[in-house]
Every structure is written in C-alpha cells, then in structure tokens.
Amino acid sequence: MDAVLDAIRAVVGAAGLLTDIADTAPYAEDWRRLYQGRTPAVVRPADTEQLAAVMRLCSEHRIAVVPQGGNTSMVAGATPDADNTQIVVSTSRMNRVRAIDPVDLTMTVEAGVTLKAAQLAAAEADCLLPLSISSEGSAQIGGVLATNAGGNNTLRYGNARDLVLGLEVVLPDGQVWNGLRRLRKDNTGYCLRQLFVGSEGTLGIIAAGVLKLAPRPREYAVALCAVASVEAALALFSRFQSHDPGQVQAFEYMSGMGMSFVQRHIPGAKLPLSAPAAHYCLVELASPRLDAGLRASLETVLEAALADGTVEDAAIAESEAQRAALWKLREEHAEAQKREGASVKNDVSVPVSRVPELIRRATAACEALIPGIRAVPFGHMGDGNIHFNLEQPAEWDGARFLAQDHAIMDTVNAVVRDLGGSFSAEHGVGRLKPYMMADWRGGAELALMRRIKDALDPRGIMNPGKVLP
C-alpha cells in the first residue's frame, strides 16, 4: 500500500493525498453517523487525467476504491468499511463549471461542483438548474448523478436521470469515456450514460456531466397549508393539478409531529399559521413569465379548498424572504429529526394515489411493532416519494432503538410492497439496504445487474459492499 500511495502522490501532489488519520476520519464516517470506517488514504485528484491515472494504479494493484462527493448519503453509499484497505477518492477538487449555453439550455460541470454552486452559475446565465435537494449546499454533482437524486422539483422536471444529456466517466481500469454530448436526440446504440446515473459509484466514477437547464422562473407563488388529513392533502394536490399542472413546481407533505420537531430544534423556524395542525402541505407555483397570474391561481384554488374544508388554514408568502422561510420549515425536517434523537429512515415511493394509505397503514404497523414509536412522514407527495421516518420512543435509548432498524424497515416495506411501491425512491441502496435487493429485485433483474457489474468492474474494486448483496 505504501508503494501505491507514493505513486498516487506523484500523480496528484501533496495537496491531493491525505493519509493522517485526523484528516481522513471525516471521510470515513457517513452523514448520519451510522457507519464508521477506516481508510489508509483520501485521494483528491484535480482533474480527469489525474483521476484516470489514480484508477489505473488502483486497478493494477487491485485496491478497492470508494468514490465520494459531498458525503451526504443517507444510506452510507460513500463510506469505506472498517478494514482500512479501501481508498476514498474525493472529487472535491474537480470543481469547475466548464460551460453554460443559455441557447441550448445546457451546462457542463465537473463532479466536485456543489449543486448549489451549479444552481447559482445557471442563475447568472438567466437559467434554472431545476434539481433541488435539502443538502444542495454540500452535495456535489458527481454524487447527485451517481445516486440519481430526486428532490423537491421532481414533480415538474424529473429526477437527476431526466436532467442528464452527457457524461464523462473514468472506468475502473482507468479508461476515460468521453460522452459529454449536448444533444437532445442521439439514438446511436445503448444509452451508456444511464448505466452510470444511479449506479452509486459501483461501475465507474463520474468526472463531469452535461445537464439540462430550464428558463429561470420570474414569478413564484408559495403557500403553507394546514389540512386535517393526508387524504385532504392529496385532494388539494389534485385540485392544483386540475387547475393548471404546468404551474405546479413542487407539492410537499409534512406531518404535525415533524413540524413540531422543526420548531423545537431549528432556530428561527416559526409556524405562520394561527394554530398547529395534524398535517401540512407546501405548494409552490412557478413560471418564467412575469404576468403568469400565479398569485391569482393560488388564491382561486385555496379559496375553494378553504370553503369546503379541504384546507383548514393557509399562509401565502408575500416576499422572497417569506418564501425562503416557508421552505425552511420543510427543508430542515431531516436535521430536526437528527437533533430530536435516533431515527430510522425509509425513503419509499408508492403510486401517488396510494400515499394516504401508505402513511396510515405504515404508521399503525410501526406503532404495533414498537409502542411509543413516533412516525414522522414527510416528502414529495406530488411524485409519491415519502420519507417515512420513525423516531425513537421518548423513553428509549437511541442505541436500543437503532438495533431495531431492520425490523422497522421491514415493517414499513411490507406495506410499501403491498401498495406496488419501492423501498428506495431517491436515496439509493448504498451500504444500508443491499440485503433487500435479492427479495425485491431478485431473479433475472438482479442477475442482469450482476452481469453489468462483472463486465465493467471485473476486479470488483468499485465501491464494494454497496448496492449489490
């Protein structure tokens, strides 16, 4: 290993190689602090050529590689194991925005650019990079694409997969596939870029990508609504879709329990309604037109919903600051739950029409499993992706609760499966959930995945222990 690290240092320079345990430790622990690994080194190449040279050395010596972007994975998809043999390859220094074309509505960015930085660069060109997730300030484009991140605007623009036109990828043997094409139509064989989007670093390392942009919205209308039930939340969503689906950019659901955690633990978080509610919805309308009439549309739908009791109360943002404050109530759910105590997270999806049944049945099943457990569902009702999280009972120790994580996840997933859903909607499989793959994706589907993995990574060095059981 020492000889290999010397060779890597010659490629990336002293600034590109971390070996002191004080420097490498933050890269060896996942964001949720569920997994603590060890790594002999963190390699930080500055460009694609350096990354390719590093991968050639690792392939030659059969050294396992764990690709890592902003290390915001919810399923430990970028965490090395504890045997101190897996090298972490961080893309943080590969952080250039290579090009933006406002006519083509594309941008070419390197893997280490944070999603927030990419959004700001697009905005400077009077464009919108529509992908938006809670961790966008630290999540990097390479990881966002490798995990097929979803987020708040999937309802209108799709997941990361839907926003990628081309990729540059370093393969496990160090070869570079340059597929940075900006074409909207390119029907020339297999769509290779989609092999790597969502592969969680198990097939290669994304070095750069060409992303679709959209015209920048110039008018927004945002409201936080209190509703009596999840069924009422779904009914409200259907009303907005029926009124004008082209205006709806996001429709988010939050439980009363989750909102109470945000108010308790997040400084500055205030509920702009007359009283707490059992359930909440956050709806955002957006348009590139200045005269789109979004406020009128919002008020028209809400007035009818208030009149018939679908909505109990509502607050409409009157400024950009108020819009940000309403979104903060939604975006801080994960952090608030972390501060409240131990939680078991379930990133699941079902058909949109089955979301109320999911929340009702899964809550009852988990309460029967562990009396006192606190269900904290929230997320993207508009696309059927609910983060069905469970918080420890108030009197329980966190470690005791987390020891039940598989039983809790299996309880939720039994309901998800019965409703025709998926156990991983947008977070991926990572290190946390490979044990589920054989049961959910067994037979021909899992066999095909293994054949793809064996073909591209015959030495098995790419992010071992992730995705495939």
Side-chain angles (χ1 to χ4, degrees), residues 309-376:
T310 301
V311 171
E312 298 176 325
D313 194 6
I316 298 177
E318 301 289 351
S319 65
E320 181 59 32
Q322 289 185 8
R323 172 179 173 246
L326 292 184
W327 270 107
K328 182 176 182 177
L329 294 173
R330 160 63 183 86
E331 296 289 10
E332 294 290 355
H333 263 60
E335 181 63 28
Q337 289 173 30
K338 187 177 182 180
R339 296 181 185 183
E340 177 69 16
S343 65
V344 173
K345 300 185 183 299
N346 295 276
D347 166 50
V348 299
S349 62
V350 296
V352 175
S353 61
R354 312 301 292 274
V355 168
E357 188 176 357
L358 163 69
I359 292 176
R360 185 176 62 256
R361 288 176 54 186
T363 297
C366 289
E367 289 175 347
L369 177 71
I370 300 178
I373 199 171
R374 293 173 288 174
V376 199

Side-chain angles (χ1 to χ4, degrees), residues 346-350 358 384-386 388 412-413 416 422-425:
N346 295 276
D347 166 50
V348 299
S349 62
V350 296
L358 163 69
N385 172 201
I386 297 297
F388 197 89
V412 173
N413 286 331
V416 172
S422 170
F423 71 85
S424 176

Side-chain angles (χ1 to χ4, degrees), residues 155-157 240-250 284-288 292 294 297:
L155 166 63
R156 184 159 170 179
Y157 299 101
F240 277 105
Q241 287 289 83
S242 297
H243 183 78
D244 190 340
Q247 293 180 341
V248 184
Q249 179 158 286
E284 177 168 275
L285 311 183
S287 173
L294 299 184
S297 290

Side-chain angles (χ1 to χ4, degrees), residues 185-273:
K185 288 186 176 180
D186 182 16
N187 196 8
T188 51
Y190 304 133
C191 188
L192 295 180
R193 69 180 184 275
Q194 296 296 2
L195 278 178
F196 298 99
V197 177
S199 67
E200 302 186 44
T202 61
L203 302 179
I205 302 181
I206 294 173
V210 179
L211 307 179
K212 296 179 187 177
L213 303 178
R216 183 173 63 84
R218 286 169 171 77
E219 184 177 332
Y220 290 95
V222 184
L224 179 69
C225 307
V227 294
S229 65
V230 188
E231 288 78 9
L234 182 61
L236 182 62
F237 170 65
S238 297
R239 285 186 181 219
F240 277 105
Q241 287 289 83
S242 297
H243 183 78
D244 190 340
Q247 293 180 341
V248 184
Q249 179 158 286
F251 193 94
E252 299 289 298
Y253 166 80
M254 295 156 284
S255 70
M257 179 78 72
M259 189 69 82
S260 71
F261 290 171
V262 172
Q263 292 175 266
R264 182 182 308 160
H265 296 292
I266 304 301
K270 296 181 179 179
L271 185 67
L273 301 175

Side-chain angles (χ1 to χ4, degrees), residues 2-19 43 57:
D2 288 342
V4 175
L5 293 181
D6 287 341
I8 289 175
R9 186 179 291 105
V11 170
V12 300
L17 185 67
L18 306 177
T19 56
V43 183
L57 285 166

Side-chain angles (χ1 to χ4, degrees), residues 65 68 120 138 196 212 216 275 278 282 305 338 369 399 435 446:
V65 170
Q68 190 175 108
L120 293 174
S138 51
F196 298 99
K212 296 179 187 177
R216 183 173 63 84
L282 181 66
K338 187 177 182 180
L369 177 71
Y435 80 95
L446 186 55

Side-chain angles (χ1 to χ4, degrees), residues 438-461:
D439 188 33
W440 284 73
R441 297 289 184 263
E445 187 170 357
L446 186 55
L448 282 171
M449 292 185 196
R450 290 191 184 280
R451 289 167 69 181
I452 293 170
K453 169 72 170 174
D454 291 342
L456 295 182
D457 183 25
R459 297 193 170 191
I461 67 170

